């Protein structure tokens, strides 16, 4: 994996690596990718992509309300809250 | 250089289910923030989404109503991005195997009918709501997981008027089929517009700009008009159009680039492993198809061609399905389409507007409403009295109109001798009108008719009054 691609993954994952960490993780990352890339050696012509392994289809529930857990429980793990809402750092400049 | 615009629309429509897409939380509007949530829609780890059956039925019904090819195989995917209104950090949507492809919406620009083509419809979950304050953003996840269909048109429109009609007709179809209330105020229907311009005749499309925050169809129209002019001017000034998302600024009537910390689009779609794919049989599709409503435009055309109604009347009657249904049910009892159309578009509509209710809450039964019309038709009561005196009592009580007429003494006076007496009295008091009439000034008749109506408390049959006046003058 090139530096640019690695930087992009870092950004998309909202992670921040030091230069040292970056070297380590980039190496591990490449090892994983190379391992998985072995699959590309297999000829898959005419084989449909695998979407799921369970062979189960059409799992539904009826449109019936189930009690919600309530505001207190919903906000229980929130690091910050205001009123009945979660509070996060400002997302609009 | 002359330019032409290319417009595509993405419409998000909330399906009218009681509960969310993948959990049993309700979809009620305007509740205390985060009161309609559970571990599934809060995105807690280890929870499992289960598809609401009604969502799939409504979605397929909408797809059929829009003329789409319903896919016998479809599946869900994860669209990954970080934003605080999306608690799982991915949205469950349909990427490469949506449940509906193609289809179209008919529009009619100055008599030119054509179909605006659709690309696809997909089922997806809504995000939560963010409220931005001075020192942070507040997150309300009541909306998170609300079932939506996203209806994606082809870039198949070139004017804002086409886009407006597309939206009006699409909304009508969705409402006719009762899959959504389409309340834009409550966010049940939302629209994004993709707009680009290119020199006329050029095959390759220009760089497209996405405009969001369009809370009404009129804003969509205004934003498209604004963008077309802005983009053409930019190109003529030698600038390049940048591919960006812009927001419609209602107050200033302009679009502005959206400034948010949302990263570049790199959604890394992959199949949703927690939701098994969906398979539909021909039989199931046929079953849903049998519930699809007659298309509003077809119904309108039928009213014009079969019932000989004017374009205007037919438009009013087919604006909403309950009104069209009321009309057709009434027609079974009283076969005078034009008369019914007049009553619905005047008296009944005014009442409904005043009470701010729909025709489904109109208190007068079809049986009583049509018997009143029959009583007018056979001369038992004057139309004017029916409208001014009986109708207000009818909406109050939904009593049999014959009873109201009886108890209020409102039956029309058809007795020629009685009416002749009133006419003669009126003429005696108004010699000038009589002279004018004899001199061929027909307008003078009005004042005599008026006096007779007053004397008879409005009950004299106007046709007989007119006839007797003519008889006397011409004798
Ligand atoms: Zn929930």
């Amino acid at each position: 994996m090139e530096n640019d691609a690695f930087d992009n993954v870092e950004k998309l994952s909202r992670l921040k690596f030091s230069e040292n960490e970056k070297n380590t993780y980039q190496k591990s990352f490449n090892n994983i990718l190379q391992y998985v890339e072995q699959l590309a050696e297999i000829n898959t012509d005419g084989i449909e992509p695998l979407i799921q392994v369970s062979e189960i289809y059409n799992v539904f529930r009826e449109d019936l309300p189930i009690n919600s857990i309530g505001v207190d429980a919903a906000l229980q793990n929130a690091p910050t809250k205001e009123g009945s809402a979660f509070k996060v750092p400002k997302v609009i400049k | 250089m002359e330019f032409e615009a290319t417009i595509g629309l993405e419409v998000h429509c909330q399906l009218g289910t009681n509960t969310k897409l993948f959990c049993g939380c309700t979809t009620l509007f305007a509740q205390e923030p985060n009161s309609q949530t559970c571990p599934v829609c809060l995105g807690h780890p280890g929870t499992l989404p289960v598809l609401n059956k009604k969502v799939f039925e409504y979605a397929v019904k909408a797809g059929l109503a829009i003329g789409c090819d319903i896919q016998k195989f479809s599946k869900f995917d994860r669209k990954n991005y970080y934003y605080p209104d999306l608690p799982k950090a991915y949205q469950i949507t349909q990427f490469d195997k949506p449940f509906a492809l193609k289809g179209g919406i008919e529009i009619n620009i100055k008599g030119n009918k054509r179909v605006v083509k659709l690309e696809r419809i997909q089922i997806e979950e809504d995000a939560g709501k963010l409220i931005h304050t001075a020192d942070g953003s507040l997150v309300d996840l009541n909306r998170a997981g609300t079932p939506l269909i996203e209806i994606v048109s082809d870039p198949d429109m070139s004017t804002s008027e086409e886009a407006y009609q597309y939206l009006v007709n699409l909304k009508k179809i969705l409402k006719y089929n009762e899959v959504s209330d389409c309340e834009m105020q409550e966010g049940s229907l939302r629209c994004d517009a993709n707009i680009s311009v290119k020199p006329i005749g050029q095959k390759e499309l220009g760089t497209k700009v996405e405009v969001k925050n369009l809370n009404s169809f009129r804003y969509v129209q205004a934003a498209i008009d604004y963008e077309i002019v802005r983009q053409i001017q930019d190109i003529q000034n030698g600038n390049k159009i940048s591919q960006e998302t812009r927001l419609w600024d209602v107050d200033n009537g302009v679009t502005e680039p959206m400034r948010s910390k949302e990263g570049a689009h790199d959604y890394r779609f992959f199949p949703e492993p927690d939701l098994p794919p969906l398979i539909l049989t021909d039989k199931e599709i046929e079953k849903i198809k049998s519930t699809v409503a007659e298309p509003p435009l077809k119904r309108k055309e039928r009213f014009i061609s079969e019932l000989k109604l004017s374009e205007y009347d037919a438009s009013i009657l087919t604006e909403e399905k309950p009104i069209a249904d009321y009309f057709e049910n009434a027609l079974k009892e009283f076969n005078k389409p034009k008369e019914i159309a007049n009553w619905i578009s005047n008296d009944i509509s005014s009442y409904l507007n005043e009470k701010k209710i729909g025709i489904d809450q109109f208190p007068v039964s079809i049986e009583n409403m049509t018997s009143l019309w029959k009583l007018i038709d056979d001369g038992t009561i004057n139309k004017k009295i029916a409208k001014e005196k009986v109708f207000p009592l009818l909406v109050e009580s939904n009593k049999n109109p014959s009873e109201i007429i009886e108890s209020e003494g409102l039956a029309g006076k058809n007795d020629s001798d009685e009416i002749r007496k009133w006419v003669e009295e009126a003429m005696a008091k108004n010699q000038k009108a009589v002279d004018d009439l004899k001199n061929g000034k027909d307008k003078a008749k009005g004042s005599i008719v008026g006096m007779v109506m007053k004397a008879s408390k409005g009950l004299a049959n106007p046709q007989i009054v007119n006839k007797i006046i003519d008889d006397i003058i011409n004798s």
Side-chain angles (χ1 to χ4, degrees):
Chain A
M1 182 184 260
E2 302 299 320
N3 277 331
D4 285 359
F6 188 81
D7 290 346
N8 191 34
V9 171
E10 181 184 356
K11 202 178 110 201
L12 288 169
S13 318
R14 301 294 196 271
L15 294 169
K16 197 87 209 143
F17 297 126
S18 67
E19 274 310 305
N20 260 343
E21 285 171 329
K22 207 166 162 176
N23 284 331
T24 316
Y25 286 122
Q26 198 166 349
K27 248 177 229 144
S28 324
F29 228 98
N30 278 324
N31 283 338
I32 295 167
L33 286 177
Q34 274 159 22
Y35 178 68
V36 175
E37 265 161 19
Q38 291 179 58
L39 291 171
E41 291 163 21
I42 302 162
N43 184 351
T44 54
D45 289 352
I47 296 173
E48 285 288 305
L50 182 72
I51 287 163
Q52 58 144 359
V53 291
S54 67
E55 307 261 325
I56 298 169
Y57 299 92
N58 295 357
V59 176
F60 297 112
R61 43 170 272 273
E62 296 301 320
D63 182 29
L64 297 171
I66 296 167
N67 281 345
S68 295
I69 58 172
V71 177
D72 291 343
L75 296 179
Q76 186 175 273
N77 300 321
T80 45
K81 52 194 160 190
E82 190 174 307
S84 306
F86 298 90
K87 191 173 185 185
V88 298
K90 225 173 162 177
V91 284
I92 295 248
K93 279 174 212 164
Chain B
M1 197 190 295
E2 296 280 315
F3 289 86
E4 60 187 352
T6 306
I7 302 156
L9 297 173
E10 292 167 12
V11 173
H12 286 92
C13 167
Q14 177 179 340
L15 297 174
T17 56
N18 295 322
T19 66
K20 292 184 180 181
L21 183 47
F22 300 120
C23 64
C25 293
T26 62
T27 52
L28 298 172
F29 182 70
Q31 303 294 302
E32 182 188 357
N34 297 304
S35 61
Q36 318 296 310
T37 58
C38 74
V40 174
C41 56
L42 289 167
H44 287 191
T47 55
L48 199 63
V50 186
L51 180 61
N52 184 339
K53 193 175 186 183
K54 189 131 248 169
V55 169
F56 193 44
E57 284 170 11
Y58 279 3
V60 172
K61 188 178 179 186
L64 288 166
I66 294 166
C68 300
D69 296 342
I70 301 300
Q71 304 298 296
K72 288 183 185 162
F73 178 91
S74 64
K75 69 172 178 79
F76 289 98
D77 300 272
R78 292 187 182 180
K79 177 179 177 177
N80 299 280
Y81 65 100
Y82 274 106
Y83 210 59
D85 63 5
L86 192 70
K88 299 189 299 294
Y90 59 83
Q91 178 197 31
I92 301 178
T93 178
Q94 297 190 299
F95 180 52
D96 58 337
K97 298 276 180 191
F99 79 97
L101 294 172
K102 301 203 173 112
I105 300 290
E106 191 179 309
I107 58 170
N108 183 334
I109 304 291
K110 298 184 183 82
N112 288 325
K113 268 193 232 169
R114 83 176 180 92
V115 173
V116 174
K117 292 194 206 79
L118 293 195
E119 181 194 318
R120 58 190 277 155
I121 310 180
Q122 71 219 25
I123 299 170
E124 60 187 35
E125 57 179 343
D126 205 350
K129 198 172 100 186
L130 291 178
I131 298 156
H132 305 291
T133 63
D135 61 339
S137 296
L138 303 179
V139 188
D140 172 7
L141 295 177
N142 283 350
R143 250 203 117 74
T146 295
L148 306 176
I149 46 175
E150 179 175 352
I151 302 155
V152 185
S153 86
D154 276 336
D156 194 25
M157 290 163 274
S158 54
T159 66
S160 66
E161 196 189 348
E162 287 187 331
Y164 181 81
Q165 259 203 31
Y166 168 90
L167 291 169
V168 168
N169 292 342
L170 171 61
K171 177 180 169 183
K172 219 177 266 179
I173 289 171
L174 295 169
K175 277 196 85 169
Y176 256 65
N177 284 284
E178 290 159 343
V179 295
S180 172
D181 62 17
C182 295
E183 286 292 341
M184 294 194 89
Q185 311 296 335
E186 298 180 6
S188 300
L189 202 67
R190 308 196 293 269
C191 177
D192 302 332
N194 291 308
I195 304 151
S196 65
V197 299
K198 63 178 170 66
I200 285 183
Q202 181 183 303
K203 248 188 147 182
E204 193 191 331
L205 294 181
T207 306
K208 83 175 175 193
V209 169
E210 185 178 17
V211 183
K212 289 178 179 279
N213 198 30
L214 300 166
N215 298 325
S216 87
F217 293 168
R218 288 293 171 205
Y219 293 162
V220 177
Q221 203 173 6
I224 289 171
D225 286 335
Y226 177 86
E227 262 306 299
I228 292 173
V229 171
R230 182 190 73 84
Q231 291 182 20
I232 292 173
Q233 275 175 358
D234 254 27
I235 293 171
Q236 284 172 337
N237 292 338
N239 299 320
K240 267 184 97 176
I241 302 295
S242 45
Q243 181 160 357
E244 60 182 353
T245 302
R246 297 173 75 91
L247 293 180
W248 175 244
D249 177 342
V250 179
D251 298 328
N252 298 310
V254 299
T255 65
E256 295 280 2
M258 188 164 106
R259 285 176 303 156
S260 87
K261 291 182 186 169
E262 195 175 347
H265 294 184
D266 186 354
Y267 294 130
R268 295 149 294 146
F269 286 95
F270 64 86
E272 166 58 82
D274 288 342
L275 287 162
L278 299 165
I279 291 179
L280 274 171
T281 62
D282 285 325
K283 216 175 132 194
E284 286 166 319
I285 296 174
E286 281 309 311
K287 198 178 153 204
I288 298 175
K289 203 175 212 167
S290 69
T291 67
V292 170
E294 178 185 12
L297 285 177
K298 279 252 162 59
R299 205 167 184 182
K300 179 176 152 187
E301 278 161 20
R302 184 164 61 81
F303 284 3
I304 295 170
S305 64
E306 286 178 16
L307 304 174
K308 309 287 173 243
L309 288 175
S310 66
E311 159 95 27
Y312 175 80
D313 283 338
S315 295
I316 290 184
L317 292 174
T318 54
E319 191 59 38
E320 288 173 35
K321 181 168 180 283
I323 293 194
D325 289 346
Y326 192 95
F327 169 75
E328 288 207 89
N329 285 328
L331 199 60
K332 285 179 204 150
E333 304 291 321
F334 181 71
N335 193 16
K336 298 209 166 173
K338 178 65 188 160
E339 275 296 299
I340 304 179
N342 287 344
W343 272 86
I344 290 180
S345 55
N346 297 309
D347 310 79
I348 296 179
S349 288
S350 316
Y351 176 80
L352 299 176
N353 289 340
E354 187 195 310
K355 297 281 173 195
K356 296 192 170 65
I357 53 172
I359 201 159
D360 44 332
Q361 288 164 284
F362 183 55
V364 186
S365 66
I366 296 226
E367 196 193 345
N368 282 336
M369 204 61 241
T370 48
S371 14
L372 178 61
W373 298 335
K374 285 178 198 163
L375 292 169
I376 299 168
D377 203 45
D378 68 14
T380 306
I381 183 167
N382 291 349
K383 193 190 264 181
K384 195 159 182 279
I385 296 280
K387 288 185 178 235
E388 289 172 4
K389 301 255 166 76
V390 183
F391 183 67
L393 295 170
L394 197 54
V395 293
E396 245 172 56
S397 63
N398 188 27
K399 270 193 195 154
N400 185 324
S402 298
E403 277 175 40
I404 297 177
I405 292 166
E406 171 84 39
S407 65
E408 301 291 320
L410 295 172
K413 306 275 190 190
N414 296 321
D415 179 37
S416 296
D417 292 340
E418 202 177 3
I419 292 175
R420 179 174 286 270
K421 236 173 67 198
W422 281 317
V423 171
E424 283 167 356
E425 277 169 24
M427 284 183 165
K429 283 183 200 159
N430 197 344
Q431 191 56 46
K432 184 172 183 301
V434 177
D435 293 342
D436 284 350
L437 265 178
K438 284 187 172 158
N439 291 327
K441 290 183 186 165
D442 272 352
K443 269 189 188 166
K445 208 185 208 174
S447 68
I448 294 174
V449 174
M451 288 167 80
V452 173
M453 295 317 273
K454 205 176 164 194
S456 68
K457 300 196 169 63
L459 299 178
N461 182 325
Q463 276 158 315
I464 301 178
V465 174
N466 274 294
K467 191 177 167 294
I468 290 175
I469 296 173
D470 291 346
D471 287 351
I472 294 176
I473 295 294
N474 299 329
S475 66

